Each structure stands twice: as structure tokens, then as C-alpha cells.
Amino acid sequence: MALNSSPAARAVTLEVRHRRENGPLSARARHLREVFGVETAEETVALQPVTVTPRGITLITGFSGTGKSSLLRELCRRTDVRTVADLPPIGPTDRVVDLFDSDVEETVSWLGRFGLGEPRLMMSRPEHLSDGQYHRLTLARLAHGGPGLIAVDEFCSNLDRTTAKVIAHNFQRACRFLNLDAVVATAHEDLDDFLCPDDHIRLDFDGTVGRTTGTRVPGERIEHWIGEEFTERAGDRADYETLAGYHYRAEDERWIDWENLVTEVRTVRVRGLLVAVKVFCRPFPREFEALPTLRRINESVLCQERVIVHPAFRGLSLNARMWPGTEPGTAPRQRILFAQSALGRLFPFHLRAGYRRVGHPSETPAKEQLDLADVLRRHDPGINPNSTKAITALLRSAPDDVLSEIRATAAAAFDLATRRQIVFLADLAGADVRQEDLAFVSRASADAARTADPESLAVMVETATPYRMAGFVREWVPEHGWRVAAHGSDDHTGTLAAAHR
């Protein structure tokens, strides 16, 4: 069943005598010995010889005290294996992103595979993570050592069981695609369906050993679990606001035009608890449909504006379960879904939802956009040119001559960026671009930049400055609508796997 391609692993027969040693008695213990008239005795539990073939994923379970840790220690003594003890210490100034010796782009993609691909989280100190996030980080660090054998004791033992199941699923998927073998031990029996181990060894108190060899396809149980407990349905703005705090942009930079652009909100709930939300928008406000080019785009293209998944449920490809609502037996008004994402450049999670990647205009910023970023940095060298909040602060404090310079430069950059986006979306829609429509947009952009207050101008500036994003599209298919026929693709992990072989 295992999908990894490591060389044939050598079977190791382990014999363990698991001792519970009493040691010297304390004064209080001696008092109890006299009160009850008993002597202590050393208790030894000898496990039956256990043959472990560390290939694929091996799960060891049993009640506390049955010898799981002893078995792992003996395995570590007999084989070349990585454990938590082998991880480099975390420095006093280290952030999560600093704990990996690869470049930033690869690190982001790697962390995304373990459900940690969120910018603010990656910039955090490790001790500020939740228990579940820290456990994911530890597994990501262990796996980053490349192909080989890793061993994890107390696997997900201190986590709530829902989080443990999600992490177990993500872990086995990463191991299989990244050519890793793993032996994990836990007292919990509920992870078998989510790890889909190649070998499940069960230890009992009397030293007997039972085992089950896996025959299931990884992912089958997670699909069944999600199908049973996760419900996808329509949502609203309140649902978005409930999860908005988990988005990586600050509150005043998560701006969405709910009145003019939003068409629909979809959600995923597990046992009634909201865990994911997706917002869909038309590309341009309805009043812009007076321009034939923009009307054709709105008729053909729908934008996936925002996807937010609760941190505990990242890695389950919930994005692939939230699609625009369509009346049964009818085609949608828009037949093309478009998504753009900065995170998607480094971790293209949209591919799991059946999207395909397309070139995005932001990947080759124009001279006007680069000039705008230079002007901002000239007046504030430390500015983040992609932060609306930082730009607003600069505009409010700028002298009139500086503000005029920024307005003029922003007008040219915003005009250029908007026209490029129109041409790009028209190409997706298969629509002809009318030059008179582009000319109208240019005049409107200049007028807007000339009269905008600092807050509105900041939005235009942030929109026009270079901010590289990846583009993804998905076409409506009559056979199964928007939904993905088979659950998600992991093809984008090929370069990661290759880098660690």
C-alpha cells in the first residue's frame, strides 16, 4: 500500500523487557509499608519479540505502561532513525520560518504541507503557537531532514481528537509523497483510520503483541469522515466575519466591497461549528457593466475573493468543498472561476481543488508600478508598500508636494494595473477588449486619484504597487459542475520531494 519509493527496509526483531523499578523508599512510603504490612516488588513486563519493518508508516498503540516507548527506544538503538531529540535547539530570536535551512519560498511551501502555511503564524515565535500548531511544527521539522526513518513518541497524544485526526491525515500524506518512513506511538486507537498505517502493532498489558497489516488506500477514511461530519452550505457576511481574524491581512486591510461585488458566501461546518468560509465576487461592480468589455467579463468570470479555514482544519482541502450554488440541472451564469493568491505562488493549494495555474499580470510588474514603489520608499524607506495601513499613515503626514507626487505616480500605476487586469480577465472570458472601454477606465482612474481622500488613495496605491500573486482558473464542467470528481491533486509537491531525495 505504501506510496514511497525508499529502498527495501531491513526487518528488525526487537525484544524488550519493560521494567517498572521502585527504587529506594521514601520515609512516607516506608510508613505505608508498615501500616499495610506489604513489601514492594519490582515488576517486569516482557514483550513478545516484535518484528518491525520500518517501511511506510508503522503505528504502535497500547495503554499507557505497555511498553510503547521502550519499543521505540530499542528501535532507535538498533536502527538509524531521527527523533525529536535530534532536532536543533530553537534560538532565542528564532521565528517559525527560521527553523528550516531552505530558502524562504521552499520553507513556506513546506510548512503549508503541514497546515502551517499562514504568514503571521510563520512569522511567530514557536512558543506562541497552540499545542496543535506546535505539534505540526515538530513533525515538519522532523520530516525536513529528507528521506529516511523518523520516530515519534506520544504522537498527537496531548491534542483534542479532532485536531489529532487532521494532523494524522496530513502527516501520512506528507510522508508518502515525500518518501519518508515513520514509526509513531500513541495510546489512542482512533488514529488508525487517518494514518492508514502499513503496519499497526498493538501492545497489551500482559506483553502480548497483535498486529494488522494495512490494505486500505490512504485518504479513503478521511473522505468518509469528512462526508459524514462536514457540511457545505450557503453562508453570509456574519460567517465571514466569524473567521476573518484567521486571515493573514490585518482587519483594516481585509477590505471587501460587500455592496457592489460580493455575489455569494459558502461555508463548511463540522457538527454545526463553522470551520471554513469562501467569498465569491463578480470582477467589476454592476454599474461598470455599461462598458461592453466589463459586462462580458462579469457574465463569464466569477472571482474567488477570499478563502479562510480555521487553523485546526487546514490541510483537509476544504477549499475543494465550497463552490458557487447552482440550481440543479442548470448551468451557472459564470462558467469560469478565477482565484489570485500571494500564498498560492509558494504553496499552490488551489490545485487540490481542481484549479489550473495561469500566468498572472502581477508576476511581471510594469515600470509605472515599480516607479510607485520607489516613490513610496524614497519618502519612507521602511514602508511596507503592500500595507494599506502603512500607506495611509504616509499620505496623512506627507507635505502637499509629496502628496501631489504620490497622487500623480499612483494615477499612472493604478491606470496601468487596472487596464492590464481587464485585458487578462477578458482573455479568460474569451472576450474582445474595446479600446474605448480602456480609454474610459484611464480617465476614471485619473479622476479618482486626483480627488481621493488619503484612505481611498491608499487603497489605490496598495492595489497598484508590485504585489506578486499566482493566478488560478477552473472551468465549469457539465458532467459534475464545479465539484472535483476526485479529491485534489498533490502534483505540486514533486519539486519538494525531489529536493529531499
Side-chain angles (χ1 to χ4, degrees):
M1 179 194 72
L3 300 181
N4 73 45
S5 56
S6 59
R10 182 172 62 88
V12 181
T13 300
L14 307 174
E15 297 188 38
V16 175
R17 292 179 63 83
H18 178 59
R19 298 180 179 179
R20 300 188 182 99
E21 297 181 357
N22 292 299
L25 293 179
S26 65
R28 295 166 71 87
R30 288 197 300 271
H31 178 71
L32 291 180
R33 180 185 62 178
E34 294 174 2
V35 169
F36 293 101
V38 297
E39 294 291 337
T40 61
E42 183 178 279
E43 182 182 4
T44 301
V45 175
L47 296 179
Q48 293 177 351
V50 180
T51 300
V52 177
T53 303
R55 186 177 186 180
I57 297 175
T58 301
L59 172 63
I60 302 173
T61 60
F63 293 110
S64 298
T66 53
K68 300 184 300 298
S69 297
S70 298
L71 192 63
L72 274 187
R73 283 194 294 270
E74 181 64 12
L75 177 67
C76 293
R77 190 180 70 82
R78 298 276 301 278
T79 62
D80 184 13
V81 59
R82 296 197 305 273
T83 70
V84 174
D86 298 313
L87 294 176
I90 298 174
T93 62
D94 282 340
R95 305 285 172 156
V96 169
V97 71
D98 299 322
L99 302 180
F100 300 84
D101 57 6
S102 52
D103 60 32
V104 173
E105 287 75 14
E106 184 182 337
T107 297
V108 171
S109 189
W110 186 268
L111 287 169
R113 171 143 301 284
F114 290 85
L116 298 172
E118 195 277 312
R120 291 186 184 275
L121 186 152
M122 292 184 282
M123 295 164 61
S124 298
R125 290 278 299 150
E127 66 265 24
H128 295 160
L129 304 182
S130 68
D131 288 344
Q133 290 168 340
Y134 195 89
H135 201 81
R136 292 175 192 250
L137 176 61
T138 299
L139 296 178
R141 296 180 69 199
L142 274 176
H144 200 257
L149 175 64
I150 60 178
V152 185
D153 200 4
E154 300 296 342
F155 181 81
C156 296
S157 292
N158 65 331
L159 306 178
D160 68 88
R161 304 322 301 156
T162 297
T163 299
K165 292 172 183 177
V166 174
I167 291 177
H169 168 69
N170 291 343
F171 177 71
Q172 65 84 20
R173 184 167 62 184
C175 285
R176 297 181 197 282
F177 275 96
L178 298 170
N179 198 33
L180 288 165
D181 301 313
V183 180
V184 302
T186 178
H188 296 281
E189 290 280 348
D190 59 351
L191 299 183
D192 180 90
D193 286 331
F194 301 90
L195 272 171
C196 284
D198 301 87
D199 199 8
H200 185 172
I201 300 170
R202 295 177 174 85
L203 308 182
D204 209 341
F205 273 121
D206 61 2
T208 58
V209 177
R211 72 192 315 150
T212 304
T213 301
T215 58
R216 295 160 298 175
V217 176
E220 282 185 344
R221 176 52 187 160
I222 196 74
E223 285 292 331
H224 182 64
W225 181 56
I226 292 177
E228 279 186 330
E229 300 195 26
F230 290 69
T231 304
E232 189 268 347
R233 64 190 187 200
D236 54 27
R237 183 172 180 175
D239 292 321
Y240 170 79
E241 295 296 343
T242 298
L243 294 183
Y246 294 113
H247 192 265
Y248 62 88
R249 297 301 290 268
E251 182 176 357
D252 56 354
E253 296 177 341
R254 294 195 299 264
W255 184 79
I256 296 178
D257 189 344
W258 288 90
E259 299 300 324
N260 298 310
L261 293 179
V262 175
T263 63
E264 188 173 6
V265 177
R266 304 299 296 185
T267 65
V268 172
R269 287 173 166 80
V270 54
R271 298 187 298 277
L273 174 68
L274 181 69
V275 298
V277 64
K278 182 188 287 189
V279 178
F280 295 98
C281 293
R282 59 179 65 88
F284 300 101
R286 280 201 182 93
E287 55 265 31
F288 283 26
E289 293 179 5
L291 302 177
T293 302
L294 274 57
R295 181 175 67 250
R296 178 66 188 279
I297 292 173
N298 271 7
E299 289 172 349
S300 303
V301 180
L302 186 63
C303 294
Q304 175 186 294
E305 178 64 23
R306 197 67 48 84
V307 181
I308 306 176
V309 179
H310 190 284
F313 295 90
R314 289 174 183 162
L316 295 182
S317 298
L318 297 183
N319 181 32
R321 299 178 180 276
M322 295 179 287
W323 300 105
T326 302
E327 293 298 322
T330 65
R333 179 170 177 244
Q334 298 102 331
R335 290 175 175 267
I336 299 170
L337 272 180
F338 169 65
Q340 56 186 9
S341 167
L343 178 60
R345 290 180 52 238
L346 308 177
F347 183 63
F349 59 93
H350 297 80
L351 300 183
R352 294 182 184 172
Y355 285 79
R356 60 182 174 86
R357 188 159 179 174
V358 294
H360 192 276
S362 68
E363 296 180 74
T364 54
K367 178 181 181 301
E368 291 86 344
Q369 295 174 281
L370 297 173
D371 288 344
L372 177 58
D374 289 341
V375 168
L376 295 176
R377 291 193 178 98
R378 178 153 38 89
H379 296 294
D380 183 354
I383 195 171
N384 177 357
N386 299 123
S387 167
T388 308
K389 186 176 182 179
I391 296 169
T392 300
L394 172 61
L395 296 177
R396 283 175 172 170
S397 62
D400 289 344
D401 59 331
V402 172
L403 185 58
S404 296
E405 180 186 15
I406 295 176
R407 281 187 188 277
T409 311
F414 183 76
D415 169 35
L416 188 284
T418 303
R419 286 189 288 115
R420 290 181 76 187
Q421 188 77 345
I422 291 172
V423 172
F424 170 72
L425 291 172
D427 183 61
L428 292 182
D432 294 329
V433 177
R434 288 168 32 107
Q435 293 304 311
E436 50 265 54
D437 291 347
L438 293 183
F440 178 87
V441 169
S442 293
R443 293 192 298 271
S445 297
D447 290 342
R450 185 174 58 254
T451 60
D453 58 33
E455 289 76 12
S456 300
L457 181 60
V459 173
M460 297 178 66
V461 171
E462 192 271 337
T463 301
T465 50
Y467 186 65
R468 293 186 178 181
M469 293 189 284
F472 302 88
V473 296
R474 176 163 171 76
E475 292 85 3
W476 185 82
V477 180
E479 289 77 12
H480 53 81
W482 292 118
R483 298 184 181 276
V484 182
H487 195 46
S489 166
D490 276 294
D491 291 344
H492 63 277
T493 64
T495 55
L496 292 179
H500 289 267
R501 288 191 181 120

